[in-house]
Amino acid sequence: QSVVTQPPSASGTPGQRVTISCSGSNSNIGSNTINWYQQLPGTAPKLLIYSNNQRPSGVPDRFSGSKSGTSASLAISGLQSEDEADYYCAAWDDGLNDYVFGTGTKVTVL
Amino acid sequence: QVQLQESGPGLVKPSETLSLTCTVSGGSIGSYYWSWIRQPPGKGLEWIGYIDYSGSANYSPSLKSRVFISVDTSKNQFSLKVRFVTAADTAVYYCARRVEAYDAFDIWGQGTLVTVSS
């Protein structure tokens, strides 16, 4: 089991705002930057957010990240059908000396 | 544009060694860390380890005793070996480039499925 937890699923209709939470501890999210990855069905993960709230070139500004204490969140505003994917948060864990991925959240567009 | 491509056997017998290679094209293997990450069918992502161009490696504690990552700068490749595999090692294996400043994996290979079965 991962030490960083996410809700297994989230959903919304097109145009809605969806938020995904990521809960960790002082040794991971509380001490280090968090990154978010998007994995479309049948494809490799893609870096979506780095350093808590930075978007790589080409990532729409509909995606935003934030962090507070030992938790983080990813928001998708103006949800689109192509956003249907699995989303993972991730951070280095100083206590485990390990890079930990969250449990993953499947986003469904209704 | 940097691209990564995994290669290696898709089937490995239990107790044997899994060996994969990642070829980096469109850029030099220098100045970055290069990683392996795996994903069992229907499950989440698991970090295996990473190596830099000089050969300095760091492994996940859960796999450290069975894993070895190496780099060949002359071929712009890095490789993964997992010893004594079991069915639990069946997964899609991804290679990825790690950006140290952000501790993030910004470029990924397409992944290769390795099944452990007799």
Side-chain angles (χ1 to χ4, degrees):
Chain A
Q1 282 102 325
S2 176
V3 296
V4 176
T5 57
Q6 302 176 231
S9 63
S11 62
T13 57
Q16 274 191 329
R17 176 183 172 92
V18 169
T19 301
I20 300 168
S21 63
C22 175
S23 179
S25 66
N26 286 327
S27 62
N28 43 65
I29 298 175
S31 304
N32 298 296
T33 61
I34 192 157
N35 306 305
W36 290 90
Y37 299 89
Q38 177 194 56
Q39 187 174 31
L40 296 170
T43 69
K46 166 191 168 184
L47 181 63
L48 195 66
I49 297 286
Y50 67 93
S51 292
N52 303 327
N53 54 19
Q54 303 298 303
R55 285 185 306 276
S57 174
V59 173
D61 59 6
R62 304 185 290 104
F63 295 94
S64 62
S66 64
K67 185 181 105 166
S68 178
T70 59
S71 296
S73 63
L74 173 72
I76 310 173
S77 59
L79 190 67
Q80 298 183 5
S81 58
E82 56 261 39
D83 299 334
E84 197 160 275
D86 293 324
Y87 293 84
Y88 295 90
C89 59
W92 182 259
D93 190 299
D94 293 331
L96 297 175
N97 197 31
D98 201 355
Y99 190 84
V100 291
F101 287 93
T103 48
T105 298
K106 182 176 183 60
V107 169
T108 302
V109 181
L110 302 171
Chain B
Q1 181 182 352
V2 175
Q3 292 183 311
L4 307 181
Q5 178 67 58
E6 304 90 349
S7 59
L11 181 64
V12 181
K13 290 182 169 53
S15 80
E16 296 191 345
T17 297
L18 177 161
S19 296
L20 295 174
T21 294
C22 182
T23 300
V24 180
S25 60
S28 171
I29 205 165
S31 304
Y32 287 96
Y33 285 82
W34 304 93
S35 309
W36 289 98
I37 295 156
R38 70 181 184 179
Q39 184 173 35
K43 296 188 178 181
L45 300 166
E46 179 183 25
W47 175 68
I48 298 171
Y50 59 67
I51 193 167
D52 74 2
Y53 67 95
S54 71
S56 176
N58 192 12
Y59 303 112
S60 172
S62 64
L63 294 167
K64 190 173 185 176
S65 63
R66 298 192 296 125
V67 167
F68 179 71
I69 299 176
S70 59
V71 64
D72 187 337
T73 55
S74 67
K75 296 181 179 179
N76 241 28
Q77 294 177 333
F78 61 105
S79 298
L80 170 71
K81 291 188 185 300
V82 182
R83 303 183 303 162
F84 311 121
V85 296
T86 69
D89 294 307
T90 293
V92 175
Y93 285 76
Y94 296 101
C95 58
R97 186 178 78 172
R98 172 180 175 260
V99 179
E100 185 180 12
Y102 319 127
D103 214 353
F105 305 107
D106 67 335
I107 300 175
W108 295 62
Q110 66 184 28
T112 187
L113 174 63
V114 178
T115 302
V116 178
S117 175
S118 55

